[in-house]
Amino acid sequence: MAAGDPSAAATSDVPATSSSAASYPDRLREALVALSQACDSGVSNASEAASFTVSDVLDAVAAVMSAEADDGSDGGNDSTAARVSEQLLREVHEFLSRPLANQMATDALSLVLPIPVAKLGAQTGGCGDIAAAILKFFVTNCSPRDMLSILCEALDAPMELPNCSSSFVLLLNALAEVLTKIQRRHIEQVKVALPAVLKVMRATVSECDEEHGKAVVDLFNAAHGIGNAIQEMCTAMVNKNKEGMCAILGLYSLQNIALASRSRQQDILCACGSVVLQHFRFLKFSGFTYVGLLTGSDVTAATDKLSKDDDADFLEGFSFAMDGAMLTVVWAYMYDDMSKYAGEELELALKEVQGNHMMKWEAINMLKYVLSSICYPWIIKSHSINLLLSLAGENHVQETNNHMDFTSYAPRIFATLKAIESVMMAAPEALMRKKAFAALKKVISMVPSSQRFDILQALVNNSMSSSLTAILLDLVREEILRESRQAENDRVESDGFQGHGELPPWASHALELVELILRPPHGGPPCLPDHGDQDQDRENCSRKRLCTKCTLSG
């Protein structure tokens, strides 16, 4: 910006205290008068300079408010800066609302005011309502496509979190109104808006602490407003365009469900069920089903529809969509209001998946997205383990699975088992660790016996815990005993035809595995559990070197 620019002078004169903010209403009025005169005369350069001055006055007071918040001084409803903020916003709103308001002035201010207005609107008192009215005036009286770009730039501008989360709420609410006014090229405009929206959502959820939980709840409500606007667009569209927009709405909903589930604020966790319910209505509208969510097929189908249009960068914004798909089912499984809403639909989907071995494996492998992430609370992981046990069921499917090709499934099964291990080793409660161990055994037992040893061997080779290695070896021991009993039964049934000196296949493999543990290929001592008293075991647990006893019993 040029040194002679009036906005530069205003920016350099940022007030240091709230008492000095009292002079800013006069400066704002002068700038508004100058803007009005420039617009009436049609001098665009003068109107641009005057609009920057208006923006800088508001920015200066916003800086005072930010300084007060950082210092913890006089930041309440009675602070001078808070009162001045409300006064400045009223001045701007009255200027815009006057009967003879100049469209040129409105357009000039719409370019520069959304950010400072949103910042001041996040303050106490009546600032929020006035700021919302100003933004709504711009949305109503300016080009929707121009306002969409302006608001997206405002969302993308650097703001200090978490203090500015309320500012983002104001901008998102305005953006939702803009989307409803778009008349053509709807998908293109949504693809411009959503990356900025999701970037704000992700940053705010990750950075806001317990103190700002309510503000984040408001942010999710604003994000729901964006979803409502996209649904409106879908309703008015037909054919392939409608399919594409519904795919976008579905992925957007899944991303928000995952983000809400990642929040550690108590306010969000309490409200998360309603957030999921809100977005699940969008999923149903978009044609997503519980079966498609359980297996991930609906996410893949939606992504495929959009990837054909060379939307790789756009699709990166939905990086948690698979998480969101499984989390939608987990929330329905654990949350009473969601369960009532899902009702028979969820129950039928679970039965359908349980009755199809390939779909069952797809659903079980989908759970790794939740179980392997450190971002989701333990309560969600606990219910995810419950869902996994329910999906696996009580029926043994080994014989059926022996006739199926698991080559392509092996890497995903391994990743799922590692995710279950992470819960088994790190969960804070003994009951959850025991449930995770039961889930581990159940999933391993579902793997065809011809490939089960390879899976166990891979788990042992990748074990970072001596006690986990011991647990896995114990599973190998159980498999040997089971196979030996089966071999003995086969001999009895065939009148002893099989030679008594033959070892079952697992026995020879197990010896190789024990040798691998006792004689590590890269040298060093064997990875075996430490032997010590209980206090030493507890100390090892705190270092993630868990003994078998502590791992499962706590």
Side-chain angles (χ1 to χ4, degrees):
M1 187 177 294
D5 194 324
S7 62
T11 305
S12 64
D13 191 18
V14 174
T17 64
S18 59
S19 59
S20 63
S23 63
Y24 278 79
D26 291 335
R27 294 183 59 181
L28 177 64
R29 292 186 196 103
E30 292 174 4
L32 290 173
V33 169
L35 175 62
S36 181
Q37 292 173 347
C39 291
D40 288 341
S41 62
V43 182
S44 59
N45 289 341
S47 65
E48 182 179 352
S51 67
F52 273 115
T53 303
V54 172
S55 173
D56 289 333
V57 172
L58 300 186
D59 264 329
V61 177
V64 173
M65 295 299 296
S66 178
E68 286 185 349
D70 291 340
D71 296 341
S73 60
D74 195 26
N77 290 339
D78 296 330
S79 72
T80 301
R83 293 196 302 272
V84 171
S85 297
E86 185 172 343
Q87 184 179 353
L88 295 182
L89 289 172
R90 289 189 185 280
E91 291 279 356
V92 172
H93 188 250
E94 289 173 5
F95 175 81
L96 293 169
S97 303
R98 60 184 182 172
L100 299 178
N102 189 298
Q103 184 63 40
M104 186 177 180
T106 298
D107 290 339
L109 291 177
S110 71
L111 291 169
V112 296
L113 286 195
I115 292 177
V117 165
K119 285 182 178 179
L120 292 183
Q123 309 305 330
T124 55
C127 293
D129 292 339
I130 307 170
I134 293 173
L135 293 173
K136 185 171 184 177
F137 184 90
F138 289 144
V139 169
T140 304
N141 293 278
C142 300
S143 162
R145 295 183 67 178
D146 289 345
M147 284 307 303
L148 185 138
S149 298
I150 291 167
L151 291 171
C152 286
E153 288 179 11
L155 287 168
D156 203 38
M159 292 194 196
E160 183 182 351
L161 287 169
N163 296 330
C164 287
S165 55
S166 297
S167 302
F168 289 132
V169 170
L170 288 166
L171 293 171
L172 289 176
N173 287 336
L175 182 60
E177 289 195 50
V178 169
L179 288 174
T180 63
K181 296 181 180 299
I182 298 291
Q183 298 297 317
R184 53 194 296 270
R185 306 179 77 89
H186 297 87
I187 291 182
E188 290 182 17
Q189 303 307 317
V190 168
K191 287 180 179 179
V192 170
L194 287 193
V197 173
L198 292 173
K199 180 181 177 182
V200 164
M201 298 295 297
R202 186 170 183 173
T204 307
V205 169
S206 63
E207 295 187 31
C208 285
D209 53 24
E210 187 72 36
E211 180 184 354
H212 299 88
K214 185 181 182 304
V216 182
V217 172
D218 292 339
L219 195 71
F220 276 106
N221 289 333
H224 179 250
I226 298 287
N228 278 329
I230 297 174
Q231 184 175 2
E232 252 186 70
M233 289 182 176
C234 290
T235 304
M237 300 172 78
V238 294
N239 301 331
K240 291 182 65 176
N241 286 336
K242 182 170 185 176
E243 290 179 8
M245 188 67 84
C246 284
I248 291 173
L249 178 59
L251 294 175
Y252 172 73
S253 298
L254 294 176
Q255 185 77 3
N256 276 290
I257 288 170
L259 290 173
S261 301
R262 285 171 171 244
S263 174
R264 302 296 172 136
Q265 294 93 355
Q266 193 59 38
D267 284 332
I268 300 251
L269 289 177
C270 292
C272 195
S274 60
V275 171
V276 174
L277 185 57
Q278 288 173 343
H279 283 285
F280 181 69
R281 292 191 175 107
F282 293 147
L283 292 172
K284 288 193 70 174
F285 174 85
S286 301
F288 286 61
T289 66
Y290 273 119
V291 171
L293 294 171
L294 271 166
T295 61
S297 59
D298 281 351
V299 182
T300 302
T303 303
D304 287 346
K305 285 178 185 175
L306 299 175
S307 61
K308 295 175 183 176
D309 299 326
D310 194 23
D311 285 328
D313 293 339
F314 176 66
L315 288 174
E316 285 181 5
F318 308 115
S319 55
F320 302 143
M322 280 294 189
D323 301 42
M326 183 48 69
L327 285 163
T328 302
V329 182
V330 172
W331 275 103
Y333 194 73
M334 65 184 273
Y335 183 59
D336 288 341
D337 287 351
M338 272 290 289
S339 297
K340 293 174 184 175
Y341 181 77
E344 188 178 355
E345 185 179 349
L346 175 59
E347 188 176 335
L348 291 174
L350 290 172
K351 288 181 179 178
E352 181 178 348
V353 171
Q354 287 169 334
N356 183 302
H357 299 305
M358 301 304 287
M359 290 172 65
K360 181 187 292 188
W361 274 117
E362 292 287 354
I364 289 173
N365 289 329
M366 279 284 290
L367 282 159
K368 70 177 179 287
Y369 293 106
V370 179
L371 297 177
S372 63
S373 174
I374 63 172
C375 298
Y376 300 111
W378 285 113
I379 182 65
I380 289 178
K381 291 190 177 186
S382 178
H383 284 282
S384 297
I385 292 292
N386 291 341
L387 177 60
L388 191 157
L389 290 169
S390 176
L391 285 169
E394 298 298 328
N395 297 327
H396 294 286
V397 294
Q398 298 154 347
E399 292 184 6
T400 304
N401 285 342
N402 278 329
H403 300 290
M404 300 170 68
D405 182 12
F406 266 66
T407 305
S408 62
Y409 276 84
R412 286 184 286 170
I413 293 171
F414 176 77
T416 300
L417 290 169
K418 292 300 291 182
I420 297 171
E421 280 183 359
S422 68
V423 177
M424 189 176 81
M425 302 301 288
E429 297 178 0
L431 178 60
M432 195 186 309
R433 294 194 292 274
K434 289 179 179 179
K435 287 194 303 183
F437 179 54
L440 184 80
K441 292 178 65 176
K442 174 65 70 174
V443 174
I444 289 175
S445 74
M446 293 172 61
V447 177
S449 58
S450 59
Q451 295 177 274
R452 200 176 306 142
F453 180 81
D454 293 335
I455 289 288
L456 278 167
Q457 185 177 33
L459 291 173
V460 170
N461 288 342
N462 287 272
S463 171
M464 301 299 292
S465 163
S466 57
S467 53
L468 177 58
T469 300
I471 290 172
L472 294 170
L473 279 177
D474 193 54
L475 294 180
V476 173
R477 180 188 62 81
E478 291 180 4
E479 285 292 338
I480 294 173
L481 290 175
R482 185 193 62 78
E483 192 176 58
S484 298
R485 286 193 295 267
Q486 183 63 46
E488 182 64 29
N489 292 336
D490 291 343
R491 278 196 297 270
V492 171
E493 292 177 3
S494 60
D495 297 325
F497 179 76
Q498 184 176 348
H500 290 281
E502 296 180 10
L503 281 175
W506 267 72
S508 58
H509 291 321
L511 292 175
E512 296 172 6
L513 187 58
V514 170
E515 183 179 6
L516 182 67
I517 295 169
L518 294 178
R519 191 180 299 170
H522 301 294
C527 182
L528 294 173
D530 297 328
H531 294 282
D533 58 22
Q534 189 172 7
D535 291 337
Q536 183 63 42
D537 289 340
R538 294 296 178 184
E539 182 180 350
N540 290 338
C541 285
S542 67
R543 297 174 183 171
K544 299 296 183 186
R545 298 168 58 219
L546 304 177
C547 64
T548 308
K549 175 174 62 179
C550 293
T551 300
L552 299 179
S553 67

